[in-house]
Amino acid sequence: MTESWICFFLVCLNLLSWTKPFVLSQEGVPETRVFTKEVTADKCTSGVPGPPGRPGPPGPRGDAGSTVDATPNWNSCQWNHLNNGNDVAQVVTCSITKTYSDTYLYVGISSDMRFYGGSSGCCRWYFTFNGAECSNPVKIEAVVYANGYASVNMHRPRMLIGYCKGISAGSITVGWHVGQCSGYGTYDCYSGWNSATNMWIEEVTPSPYD
């Protein structure tokens, strides 16, 4: 029985009042007493909230998550005074054993990278992975361009860093190369002059924004 019906019966039982009787008199007709009743009802109010219900049944089991090794996988290589004057060459290499196929490789190098010669020109440094440049998402490269410094031999410390994905698991040799810029001819490049060169490789999980 709903709350509204319970309230209605309580009203009928407790709040019932009777009006005064009146007499209908007609000649030759016995007196008849007729009663009417008047019901007065108060507004019902909600009761006290009941106790909480019992917990529902357990939900279905979720899918198993992927397993990721929490141990960092990285390597670094260092050279002192490379003094490499090659204009087109692989300068150095550093290797890592990649554990998963769906991870990224984060690579970087800090060294002296110098362009020299001509009124304007350019030298290019870049990374390769087992002999091929990164294509996913893009190449990891840096160019040094100069204009109007024909007689100035400017050595500068520089850094080259980037992420590469789509590389299969296994042994990976990362090469650091120097070369010429497309459309600018051949110029004098220099790598690692009179200073330490540091190169690093790290396997990292995919970006949540990928």
Side-chain angles (χ1 to χ4, degrees):
M1 186 177 290
T2 63
E3 182 179 285
S4 60
W5 278 104
I6 293 173
C7 181
F8 175 76
F9 285 123
L10 290 176
V11 168
C12 293
L13 292 175
N14 298 328
L15 302 177
L16 195 62
S17 64
W18 298 87
T19 60
K20 293 181 180 181
F22 59 93
V23 178
L24 299 177
S25 299
Q26 296 182 8
E27 185 177 352
V29 179
E31 289 185 351
T32 302
R33 294 188 176 185
V34 179
F35 297 88
T36 62
K37 51 188 176 180
E38 179 180 312
V39 177
T40 303
D42 292 333
K43 183 179 180 181
C44 292
T45 57
S46 59
V48 178
R54 292 180 298 176
R61 184 180 180 85
D63 297 332
S66 58
T67 302
V68 177
D69 190 353
T71 303
N73 182 21
W74 63 278
N75 189 23
S76 65
C77 302
Q78 298 80 29
W79 302 269
N80 194 33
H81 295 191
L82 283 174
N83 294 330
N84 189 304
N86 290 317
D87 300 328
V88 179
Q90 178 174 269
V91 182
V92 292
T93 63
C94 191
S95 299
I96 191 173
T97 300
K98 194 167 181 283
T99 307
Y100 303 99
S101 61
D102 62 344
T103 53
Y104 284 63
L105 283 183
Y106 172 62
V107 297
I109 195 165
S110 63
S111 184
D112 170 81
M113 305 177 206
R114 183 272 277 160
F115 155 80
Y116 175 76
S119 58
S120 65
C122 175
C123 288
R124 173 178 178 256
W125 285 266
Y126 58 96
F127 285 118
T128 61
F129 302 84
N130 288 344
E133 287 195 68
C134 182
S135 60
N136 191 357
V138 294
K139 297 177 179 179
I140 304 175
E141 62 179 347
V143 297
V144 177
Y145 172 84
N147 185 7
Y149 295 95
S151 60
V152 180
N153 186 12
M154 295 188 299
H155 288 271
R156 295 288 186 272
R158 308 181 194 276
M159 291 185 65
L160 172 60
I161 59 175
Y163 290 89
C164 190
K165 65 178 180 178
I167 301 174
S168 300
S171 179
I172 308 296
T173 298
V174 180
W176 181 47
H177 299 250
V178 62
Q180 303 296 312
C181 301
S182 178
Y184 282 88
T186 302
Y187 292 91
D188 184 5
C189 309
Y190 207 95
S191 307
W193 177 77
N194 202 33
S195 58
T197 296
N198 291 273
M199 182 174 173
W200 61 91
I201 315 167
E202 183 179 7
E203 183 176 7
V204 297
T205 57
S207 167
Y209 304 99
D210 192 8

